[in-house]
Amino acid sequence: LRLAADFTRAMAGAGRPLPRIPAARFTVGLDWRRGSWSANVDWQSTAEQNRVAPNEEPSDSYGLLSAGLAWSQPGLRGFEVFVRGTNLTDEEARPNTSFLKEIAPLPGRNVSAGVRCRFRAGCRRIIGQVPPRACPLSCPVSRGPCSVGAEIVS
């Protein structure tokens, strides 16, 4: 079970709202995994935004439903076949933070399927027994091997 919420309130001088402040959001999600299979479903509810700056239009509330199903082969680490659906209710969503909200909403219902392959390039395989800190290929954040990935979606 995943829960998330965020709320921003930002004011300029004289108590006026700043432009492009995101509306309050609440997300609830459920993840499931058994053996080679995994699935997830998410609901994100975004409140209306009426506290807008001058020359900015208010935005309506909306909810987005997403779901996914994936299969991965235990012997092939990093290999996954998936199907993913976003905005499954085909809701018209116009985020207040978008410069294009009055022209183009977020994409409607979308279903994609593909193969995802993740692989890691580590120094021990390429250069030999080099300490991770001395490795020119190590990730500057984790100090471990960097991850490189590829995704094909159709």
Side-chain angles (χ1 to χ4, degrees):
L1 179 66
R2 280 178 289 107
L3 297 172
D6 61 72
F7 173 79
T8 303
R9 186 168 184 163
M11 307 295 277
R16 290 187 329 232
L18 288 173
R20 309 231 182 285
I21 299 302
R25 291 185 303 179
F26 177 75
T27 304
V28 61
L30 186 61
D31 293 330
W32 172 85
R33 183 175 298 269
R34 177 164 291 174
S36 298
W37 291 93
S38 62
N40 62 49
V41 63
D42 295 309
W43 175 259
Q44 182 183 71
S45 179
T46 302
E48 63 185 9
Q49 179 60 288
N50 291 321
R51 299 180 52 79
V52 294
N55 300 322
E56 199 176 32
E57 294 294 321
S59 58
D60 294 333
S61 63
Y62 56 90
L64 300 175
L65 176 66
S66 300
L69 178 67
W71 175 81
S72 58
Q73 175 62 31
L76 298 172
R77 286 186 12 195
F79 176 80
E80 183 178 72
V81 177
F82 68 92
V83 63
R84 177 94 181 131
T86 56
N87 194 3
L88 293 173
T89 58
D90 204 22
E91 181 95 16
E92 183 174 307
R94 296 179 182 269
N96 193 60
T97 55
S98 172
F99 285 99
L100 301 174
K101 77 175 181 180
E102 299 305 321
I103 299 167
L106 291 179
R109 182 181 300 117
N110 179 37
V111 177
S112 58
V115 175
R116 186 176 292 124
C117 183
R118 295 183 182 101
F119 54 93
R120 296 172 70 90
C123 292
R124 293 172 195 236
R125 287 187 221 138
I126 297 171
I127 301 173
Q129 296 297 321
V130 177
R133 290 185 186 190
C135 175
L137 298 175
S138 66
C139 178
V141 177
S142 68
R143 303 262 188 236
C146 291
S147 293
V148 181
E151 184 172 323
I152 301 168
V153 179
S154 59

